[in-house]
Amino acid sequence: MTQQPTAAMLAIGDELLSGRTKDKNIGYLADAMTLAAIELKEVRIVADDQEAIVEAVNALRARYTYVFTSGGIGGTHDDITADSVSAAFGLPCIYNDEAIKRLAENYARRGIEFNESRRRMARMPEGAALIDNPVSTAPGFVIGNVHVMAGVPQVFQAMLANVIPTLQGGVAIISEAIDCPFGEGDIGTELAAIQKAHPHTSIGSYPRFSDKGFNTQLVVRARERALVDAAAIDIRAMIAALQG
Amino acid sequence: MTQQPTAAMLAIGDELLSGRTKDKNIGYLADAMTLAAIELKEVRIVADDQEAIVEAVNALRARYTYVFTSGGIGGTHDDITADSVSAAFGLPCIYNDEAIKRLAENYARRGIEFNESRRRMARMPEGAALIDNPVSTAPGFVIGNVHVMAGVPQVFQAMLANVIPTLQGGVAIISEAIDCPFGEGDIGTELAAIQKAHPHTSIGSYPRFSDKGFNTQLVVRARERALVDAAAIDIRAMIAALQG
């Protein structure tokens, strides 16, 4: 059996921790990983703080197949992701020639001065490969298994679209969601028995709250359709019995 | 200068990492910490996996003044937060007498069987203190500096409202709770206008069920008493107008 590829995300930015900005990239990456059959195992959010970024990058890249970061790659003094990722790898943070070329051409075409702040957006660890940015030119980069992308959701998404085809996906997970009109207290014991009877599936129970009180969404996941189907039959029978 | 208190959040749940559920608690906690003058320094999301939860809880509780967790405290087989937090502290995971009492009373009053699945919701580390849950009774808990709360946003928010006054903030937060006999659907538009008219307050709305049906608790928070009072006057006027 092939090892399932795994992933972690590191979202970087003071604004995510102050509440000023509500992250939109974590959920987007989670969906993309599920679609690519790569198991997202952990997410961290840290401040614009080099020590915190270095520690998180090194912890995550050692443990998971892929690491994806968002944020902190702009041109101002508080964008420290490139320096921090370079430090995590023990590499010098340099101006990448190809990135400088792309940025210079872009600003020349638009008649905008290519100043030091804009040049900063070409900085990355020596030896990094570029991630194309069709939205606003300034590239992300890949070093080792770490993919460094922008925090602005439109740019993050465009970069991720260029990264996904380069990743080694695993075996797709089949899943089925079943709406259950009962709360977890009504179904917990029987659901545990169903999970036990279907050991090669993963059955999740997600309580939801509405004006009708608590109900749940039950989700069966497995690598094979037949396994999902078999567990789903038992779950539907449990619900039908409760509806008596 | 007094040391500014710090915080970390740990969101727990496979569904957050698969993309099935988009987290709503991180941004909410971030806003609440900012208002309470507590610096949120780090967030992690991990799966329903005991080893991952234990490692994260122990890393975070050693480093920050407060840790807040969301998710995995229901009554089904995949709810393993209570066991995992107990393991992180090296404490037995027991049925808390007061939690059992509250749950038993709640189910007795509603004529619902207090079965094993529902009893599971009273499990927590020995010596933990309860966090009240005005939405659905089943309490969260505090052990050491770790505050364990529900994942369902309405419940997470109601629990957090009870936790915030117990924390040592950089600057004290004044809050006032107002019982509102109407559901959120009746007051949402006007409450949003009141929030907009009082930008230096944070107004929370927590739905509850009672034998009189659906009602809400409205909580106004701010750094100054006068700000809370001004918003509370508008909220009481709104309720009086609705009562005709």
Side-chain angles (χ1 to χ4, degrees):
Chain A
M1 194 179 140
T2 314
Q3 187 79 22
Q4 189 76 353
T6 57
M9 175 159 179
L10 177 64
I12 299 164
D14 292 347
E15 73 281 13
L16 301 172
L17 294 168
S18 75
R20 179 171 294 278
T21 299
K22 302 294 183 285
D23 169 81
K24 291 190 172 67
N25 297 324
I26 295 170
Y28 189 88
L29 183 83
D31 284 333
M33 290 297 103
T34 296
L35 213 58
I38 295 168
E39 194 179 358
L40 182 62
K41 299 278 279 182
E42 183 172 351
V43 175
R44 297 191 189 183
I45 306 177
V46 298
D48 297 307
D49 175 275
Q50 178 154 333
E51 195 182 332
I53 298 169
V54 168
E55 187 192 320
V57 165
N58 282 337
L60 298 174
R61 75 187 177 97
R63 189 172 295 185
Y64 304 110
T65 316
Y66 301 112
V67 177
F68 304 91
T69 81
S70 66
I73 62 167
T76 54
H77 66 280
D78 56 337
D79 288 304
I80 62 167
T81 297
D83 292 277
S84 304
V85 173
S86 299
F89 279 85
L91 290 168
C93 189
I94 58 145
Y95 290 86
N96 178 285
D97 289 342
E98 171 63 18
I100 286 283
K101 181 166 163 282
R102 291 186 193 179
L103 287 163
E105 282 172 4
N106 176 267
Y107 289 115
R109 185 162 39 76
R110 294 157 63 198
I112 294 171
E113 185 197 356
F114 187 35
N115 61 16
E116 180 48 35
S117 174
R118 297 189 172 102
R119 289 174 59 86
R120 268 181 62 84
M121 294 188 280
R123 295 174 73 250
M124 59 188 70
E126 193 167 49
L130 304 191
I131 299 173
D132 289 352
N133 171 359
V135 176
S136 52
T137 306
F141 61 84
V142 187
I143 183 77
N145 60 341
V146 180
H147 298 71
V148 176
M149 297 182 282
V152 175
Q154 294 93 329
V155 183
F156 179 86
Q157 292 171 22
M159 287 181 173
L160 188 62
N162 289 325
V163 164
I164 292 281
T166 71
L167 307 175
Q168 193 79 37
V171 178
I173 299 288
I174 313 290
S175 82
E176 182 165 344
I178 300 169
D179 287 321
C180 171
F182 300 98
E184 291 192 321
D186 291 314
I187 58 172
T189 306
E190 281 180 288
L191 197 66
I194 293 172
Q195 172 68 84
K196 205 170 174 185
H198 298 273
H200 300 295
T201 69
S202 167
I203 303 176
S205 162
Y206 306 111
R208 295 183 298 196
F209 190 65
S210 74
D211 53 1
K212 288 172 197 145
F214 274 98
N215 59 85
T216 49
Q217 185 174 54
L218 304 177
V219 179
V220 186
R221 297 186 195 88
R223 295 273 163 78
E224 290 171 34
R225 164 59 59 192
L227 296 171
V228 172
D229 288 347
I233 284 168
D234 285 358
I235 289 172
R236 290 209 168 82
M238 172 192 76
I239 294 170
L242 281 166
Q243 285 173 321
Chain B
M1 190 179 140
T2 313
Q3 188 78 23
Q4 187 76 355
T6 57
M9 174 159 180
L10 177 63
I12 298 164
D14 292 348
E15 71 280 14
L16 300 172
L17 295 168
S18 75
R20 178 166 293 276
T21 299
K22 301 296 182 285
D23 169 83
K24 291 189 173 68
N25 297 324
I26 295 170
Y28 188 89
L29 182 84
D31 284 333
M33 290 296 103
T34 296
L35 207 61
I38 295 168
E39 193 179 359
L40 182 62
K41 299 279 279 182
E42 184 172 351
V43 176
R44 297 191 190 184
I45 307 176
V46 298
D48 297 307
D49 175 276
Q50 178 154 331
E51 195 182 334
I53 298 169
V54 168
E55 188 193 318
V57 165
N58 281 337
L60 298 174
R61 75 187 177 96
R63 188 172 295 185
Y64 304 109
T65 316
Y66 301 112
V67 177
F68 304 92
T69 80
S70 66
I73 63 168
T76 54
H77 65 278
D78 57 337
D79 291 302
I80 63 167
T81 296
D83 293 276
S84 304
V85 173
S86 300
F89 279 84
L91 290 168
C93 189
I94 58 144
Y95 290 85
N96 178 285
D97 289 341
E98 172 64 18
I100 285 283
K101 182 167 162 281
R102 290 186 193 179
L103 287 164
E105 281 172 5
N106 176 268
Y107 290 115
R109 185 161 41 74
R110 294 159 64 198
I112 294 171
E113 184 198 355
F114 188 36
N115 59 18
E116 181 48 36
S117 173
R118 296 191 170 100
R119 289 175 58 88
R120 267 180 62 85
M121 294 189 279
R123 295 174 74 249
M124 59 187 70
E126 192 166 49
L130 302 191
I131 299 173
D132 289 352
N133 171 1
V135 176
S136 51
T137 305
F141 61 86
V142 187
I143 182 77
N145 60 342
V146 179
H147 298 70
V148 175
M149 297 182 283
V152 175
Q154 292 94 328
V155 184
F156 179 85
Q157 293 171 21
M159 287 182 173
L160 188 62
N162 289 327
V163 164
I164 292 280
T166 72
L167 306 176
Q168 193 79 39
V171 178
I173 295 294
I174 313 292
S175 81
E176 182 165 346
I178 299 168
D179 285 322
C180 172
F182 300 98
E184 292 192 317
D186 293 314
I187 58 172
T189 305
E190 281 180 286
L191 199 67
I194 293 172
Q195 172 69 85
K196 202 170 176 184
H198 298 273
H200 299 294
T201 69
S202 167
I203 303 174
S205 163
Y206 309 108
R208 297 187 297 193
F209 284 103
S210 75
D211 47 4
K212 289 171 199 145
F214 204 57
N215 62 89
T216 51
Q217 184 176 54
L218 304 177
V219 179
V220 185
R221 296 184 204 92
R223 294 267 168 84
E224 292 171 33
R225 163 60 58 192
L227 296 170
V228 172
D229 288 347
I233 284 168
D234 285 359
I235 288 172
R236 291 208 167 82
M238 171 192 77
I239 293 170
L242 281 167
Q243 285 172 321

